[in-house]
Short mmCIF file of all heavy atoms in Angstrom, two decimals:
data_model
loop_
_atom_site.label_atom_id
_atom_site.label_comp_id
_atom_site.label_asym_id
_atom_site.label_seq_id
_atom_site.Cartn_x
_atom_site.Cartn_y
_atom_site.Cartn_z
N SER A 181 5.35 -4.47 -0.75
CA SER A 181 5.61 -4.29 0.66
C SER A 181 6.55 -5.34 1.23
O SER A 181 7.55 -5.01 1.85
CB SER A 181 4.30 -4.31 1.45
OG SER A 181 4.54 -4.24 2.83
N SER A 182 6.24 -6.64 0.99
CA SER A 182 7.04 -7.66 1.67
C SER A 182 6.94 -8.99 0.94
O SER A 182 5.95 -9.27 0.26
CB SER A 182 6.57 -7.82 3.12
OG SER A 182 7.35 -8.78 3.79
N VAL A 183 7.99 -9.83 1.12
CA VAL A 183 8.02 -11.20 0.59
C VAL A 183 8.51 -12.12 1.70
O VAL A 183 9.47 -11.80 2.40
CB VAL A 183 8.95 -11.32 -0.63
CG1 VAL A 183 9.17 -12.78 -0.98
CG2 VAL A 183 8.38 -10.59 -1.82
N LYS A 184 7.85 -13.25 1.86
CA LYS A 184 8.30 -14.28 2.79
C LYS A 184 8.17 -15.63 2.09
O LYS A 184 7.41 -15.79 1.14
CB LYS A 184 7.48 -14.28 4.08
CG LYS A 184 7.60 -12.98 4.89
CD LYS A 184 9.02 -12.74 5.37
CE LYS A 184 9.11 -11.44 6.16
NZ LYS A 184 10.50 -11.12 6.56
N THR A 185 8.93 -16.62 2.59
CA THR A 185 8.88 -17.94 2.00
C THR A 185 8.58 -18.98 3.06
O THR A 185 8.89 -18.81 4.24
CB THR A 185 10.23 -18.30 1.33
OG1 THR A 185 11.26 -18.31 2.33
CG2 THR A 185 10.58 -17.29 0.26
N ALA A 186 7.94 -20.07 2.63
CA ALA A 186 7.65 -21.21 3.51
C ALA A 186 7.59 -22.45 2.64
O ALA A 186 6.85 -22.49 1.65
CB ALA A 186 6.33 -21.00 4.25
N ASN A 187 8.39 -23.43 3.02
CA ASN A 187 8.51 -24.64 2.22
C ASN A 187 8.92 -24.25 0.79
O ASN A 187 9.89 -23.56 0.59
CB ASN A 187 7.20 -25.43 2.26
CG ASN A 187 6.84 -25.86 3.66
OD1 ASN A 187 7.72 -26.22 4.46
ND2 ASN A 187 5.56 -25.81 3.99
N ASP A 188 8.16 -24.63 -0.21
CA ASP A 188 8.49 -24.28 -1.58
C ASP A 188 7.59 -23.17 -2.12
O ASP A 188 7.49 -22.97 -3.33
CB ASP A 188 8.37 -25.50 -2.50
CG ASP A 188 9.45 -26.53 -2.20
OD1 ASP A 188 10.56 -26.11 -1.82
OD2 ASP A 188 9.18 -27.73 -2.34
N GLU A 189 6.96 -22.43 -1.23
CA GLU A 189 6.00 -21.40 -1.65
C GLU A 189 6.49 -20.01 -1.27
O GLU A 189 7.21 -19.83 -0.28
CB GLU A 189 4.63 -21.68 -1.03
CG GLU A 189 4.04 -23.00 -1.50
CD GLU A 189 2.83 -23.43 -0.69
OE1 GLU A 189 2.66 -22.91 0.44
OE2 GLU A 189 2.08 -24.28 -1.17
N ILE A 190 6.09 -19.03 -2.06
CA ILE A 190 6.46 -17.64 -1.83
C ILE A 190 5.18 -16.84 -1.56
O ILE A 190 4.17 -17.00 -2.26
CB ILE A 190 7.18 -17.05 -3.06
CG1 ILE A 190 8.44 -17.86 -3.36
CG2 ILE A 190 7.52 -15.58 -2.84
CD1 ILE A 190 9.11 -17.45 -4.66
N PHE A 191 5.23 -16.00 -0.54
CA PHE A 191 4.09 -15.16 -0.18
C PHE A 191 4.47 -13.70 -0.35
O PHE A 191 5.53 -13.27 0.13
CB PHE A 191 3.66 -15.44 1.26
CG PHE A 191 3.20 -16.84 1.50
CD1 PHE A 191 4.11 -17.86 1.78
CD2 PHE A 191 1.85 -17.15 1.44
CE1 PHE A 191 3.68 -19.15 1.99
CE2 PHE A 191 1.41 -18.45 1.66
CZ PHE A 191 2.33 -19.45 1.93
N THR A 192 3.62 -12.93 -1.03
CA THR A 192 3.90 -11.51 -1.26
C THR A 192 2.72 -10.67 -0.77
O THR A 192 1.57 -11.11 -0.79
CB THR A 192 4.14 -11.21 -2.75
OG1 THR A 192 2.92 -11.36 -3.47
CG2 THR A 192 5.20 -12.12 -3.33
N VAL A 193 3.05 -9.46 -0.36
CA VAL A 193 2.04 -8.47 0.03
C VAL A 193 2.40 -7.16 -0.63
O VAL A 193 3.57 -6.76 -0.64
CB VAL A 193 1.99 -8.28 1.57
CG1 VAL A 193 1.04 -7.16 1.93
CG2 VAL A 193 1.57 -9.57 2.26
N ASP A 194 1.42 -6.47 -1.22
CA ASP A 194 1.67 -5.13 -1.74
C ASP A 194 0.47 -4.24 -1.43
O ASP A 194 -0.50 -4.67 -0.80
CB ASP A 194 2.00 -5.15 -3.24
CG ASP A 194 0.88 -5.70 -4.10
OD1 ASP A 194 -0.30 -5.40 -3.81
OD2 ASP A 194 1.17 -6.41 -5.07
N THR A 195 0.53 -3.01 -1.89
CA THR A 195 -0.49 -2.03 -1.54
C THR A 195 -1.85 -2.37 -2.14
O THR A 195 -2.89 -2.12 -1.54
CB THR A 195 -0.05 -0.63 -2.01
OG1 THR A 195 1.22 -0.33 -1.45
CG2 THR A 195 -1.06 0.43 -1.59
N TYR A 196 -1.85 -2.94 -3.33
CA TYR A 196 -3.10 -3.09 -4.06
C TYR A 196 -3.62 -4.52 -4.12
O TYR A 196 -4.64 -4.78 -4.73
CB TYR A 196 -2.90 -2.58 -5.50
CG TYR A 196 -2.40 -1.17 -5.54
CD1 TYR A 196 -1.08 -0.88 -5.86
CD2 TYR A 196 -3.25 -0.11 -5.23
CE1 TYR A 196 -0.62 0.43 -5.88
CE2 TYR A 196 -2.80 1.19 -5.24
CZ TYR A 196 -1.49 1.46 -5.57
OH TYR A 196 -1.03 2.75 -5.59
N ARG A 197 -2.92 -5.44 -3.50
CA ARG A 197 -3.33 -6.82 -3.60
C ARG A 197 -3.20 -7.48 -2.23
O ARG A 197 -2.32 -7.14 -1.46
CB ARG A 197 -2.44 -7.55 -4.60
CG ARG A 197 -2.91 -8.95 -4.95
CD ARG A 197 -2.09 -9.52 -6.09
NE ARG A 197 -2.67 -10.75 -6.59
CZ ARG A 197 -2.28 -11.33 -7.72
NH1 ARG A 197 -1.32 -10.80 -8.44
NH2 ARG A 197 -2.85 -12.44 -8.13
#
Side-chain angles (χ1 to χ4, degrees):
S181 175
S182 181
V183 169
K184 297 297 179 184
T185 62
N187 299 322
D188 291 327
E189 297 168 341
I190 301 173
F191 297 85
T192 69
V193 174
D194 62 39
T195 304
Y196 304 105
R197 189 172 190 169

